[in-house]
Amino acid sequence: MKKRGIGIGSIMYGTGYGNGFPDVSKAVAELCIDGRVAIYVGATEVGQGAKTIMSQIPAEILGLSVEKIIFICEDSSITPDAGTAAASRQTYNTGNAIKIAAESLKEAILINSKEKLGLNTIIGMELKNGRVFVSNFPTKSISLKELAQSLDGNPLKREGEFIAQTTQIDVETGQGAPYWPYTFSVYGVEVEVDTKTGIVEIIRAVCAQDVGRAINPKLIEGQMDGGFAMGLGYGIFEDLNLREGEIKHDRFSNYLIPTSMDIPELEKIIIEDPESTGPFGAKGIGEPVMLGVAPAILNAIYDAIGVRINEIPVTPEVLLRALKKSMI
């Protein structure tokens, strides 16, 4: 017999290392000789889209297209430390460091352009599409390439550093503010449970994700799709089968992961409530988009068959065993 049920799973997640651990990101912005801007940062791209949004941030500040940003990362010999690609911290932490570096470089560009143009102040000067100009006298201008080539081999370069606010929890009282900011997410799923085979099928799913502010909505949707797939595998597929310290399911023929055929259409709802300390209000969502999936599935299974399962993954064997136990 096939039975259907609906479940909800909601989470809150603290961004960064937390609990007072120093959480520092550094970045460098440099005006190149051809008028483009190079961003040096130790942030690692692991498929979350870091290279894209971390190019968008300086492009927005400097009035450039993303194509005019040279993003240099993952080379520790020339890039400053930006911490790990973990704890959903890169968009918030390193995004802030890049924003600070780009803002500092913009100020240096305006000051140097003022001198080249013979102006007496940077007030009213703008930087857009690779040119610095006076807003009420646009022909009074200089291109970034012209400016860079006038610096006699001493390129403008500025560093940005961002340190996240975090305090250690009092071990006696449990009180403290270990993280800043927090991110919120909720999943809803409908499942169909086959009580003869123990197979759980996800019929449909929806995710509402707090992102602070969406710097790149398409990448956010991609992270939501990826997080849902990982949460689905965590909830009903991926079983290491650990026995006395030995992993029995040590190959993909017996360690099952979800395929595209197992993933239903996911309705994605982006919730924007800009975080005042984030770069343009953005938060990180790497882990948050995954955490609520398994709880939502287990709640839906309970709604479908009336049996509460307290372990994951809910493989067919686990589900049939729980059903049998409930009948005793």
Side-chain angles (χ1 to χ4, degrees):
M1 179 181 295
K2 293 184 177 180
K3 296 184 177 181
R4 290 195 175 190
I6 293 174
I8 303 293
S10 62
I11 65 102
M12 60 179 288
Y13 182 89
T15 298
Y17 301 141
N19 202 31
F21 190 86
D23 201 344
V24 183
S25 283
K26 295 180 179 179
V28 171
E30 178 184 12
L31 177 61
C32 301
I33 195 70
D34 61 0
R36 293 185 295 173
V37 170
I39 300 296
Y40 297 82
V41 66
T44 302
E45 173 66 68
V46 290
Q48 79 277 44
K51 290 180 179 178
T52 301
I53 70 149
M54 291 184 191
S55 296
Q56 288 181 256
I57 290 172
E60 179 71 19
I61 293 167
L62 296 164
L64 296 170
S65 65
V66 173
E67 291 74 21
K68 296 295 184 182
I69 302 296
I70 305 170
F71 193 76
I72 301 167
C73 65
E74 300 157 355
D75 184 343
S76 59
S77 70
I78 57 173
T79 59
D81 187 5
T84 57
S88 300
R89 58 179 295 284
Q90 285 295 357
T91 294
Y92 178 74
N93 265 59
T94 305
N96 265 320
I98 291 173
K99 182 171 181 286
I100 292 168
E103 289 172 339
S104 180
L105 179 64
K106 179 179 179 180
E107 182 180 19
I109 288 171
L110 294 182
I111 291 173
N112 279 269
S113 296
K114 180 201 72 174
E115 295 173 358
K116 300 296 180 185
L117 293 172
L119 302 172
N120 53 18
T121 177
I122 64 170
I123 293 175
M125 294 179 68
E126 293 188 15
L127 171 54
K128 191 174 182 180
N129 296 327
R131 296 196 74 82
V132 182
F133 56 93
V134 181
S135 59
N136 63 353
F137 187 21
T139 56
K140 192 73 169 176
S141 69
I142 184 172
S143 71
L144 290 182
K145 182 178 180 179
E146 291 169 336
L147 176 63
Q149 292 179 349
S150 73
L151 297 174
D152 299 325
N154 297 306
L156 294 178
K157 183 184 292 188
R158 293 293 183 272
E159 181 175 317
E161 178 180 277
F162 180 79
I163 304 173
Q165 181 63 270
T166 172
T167 62
Q168 192 169 15
I169 288 180
D170 187 314
V171 295
E172 296 296 330
T173 66
Q175 299 298 303
Y179 296 100
W180 188 335
Y182 286 86
T183 305
F184 305 88
S185 176
V186 60
Y187 271 94
V189 301
E190 182 178 10
V191 303
E192 185 173 82
V193 181
D194 189 323
T195 58
K196 288 186 176 179
T197 65
I199 293 175
V200 176
E201 181 181 358
I202 311 300
I203 303 301
R204 57 186 176 135
V206 58
C207 173
Q209 178 63 53
D210 160 40
V211 302
R213 185 174 182 185
I215 292 178
N216 190 314
K218 283 297 181 186
L219 285 179
I220 288 173
E221 290 183 354
Q223 283 194 290
M224 294 164 82
D225 281 326
F228 178 74
M230 286 189 280
L232 176 60
Y234 185 58
I236 63 175
F237 280 93
E238 298 177 46
D239 181 16
L240 289 173
N241 193 13
L242 194 64
R243 296 182 186 179
E244 299 180 349
E246 182 180 355
I247 295 174
K248 296 295 183 180
H249 290 173
D250 58 357
R251 60 205 67 192
F252 285 124
S253 61
N254 54 23
Y255 182 81
L256 302 181
I257 61 174
T259 69
S260 59
M261 297 297 289
D262 301 305
I263 309 297
E265 184 69 27
L266 175 66
E267 181 182 352
K268 296 172 278 285
I269 302 171
I270 296 174
I271 307 295
E272 290 193 285
D273 182 13
E275 161 60 36
S276 61
T277 64
F280 298 108
K283 299 177 183 177
I285 63 164
E287 280 92 350
V289 291
M290 181 184 71
L291 300 179
V293 181
I297 292 173
L298 266 65
N299 285 334
I301 292 173
Y302 176 73
D303 186 50
I305 63 175
V307 176
R308 176 62 72 185
I309 298 175
N310 295 311
E311 64 177 289
I312 53 173
V314 185
T315 61
E317 293 78 13
V318 169
L319 192 137
L320 291 176
R321 189 166 61 242
L323 273 175
K324 184 178 180 180
K325 185 178 179 181
S326 71
M327 296 174 185
I328 297 176

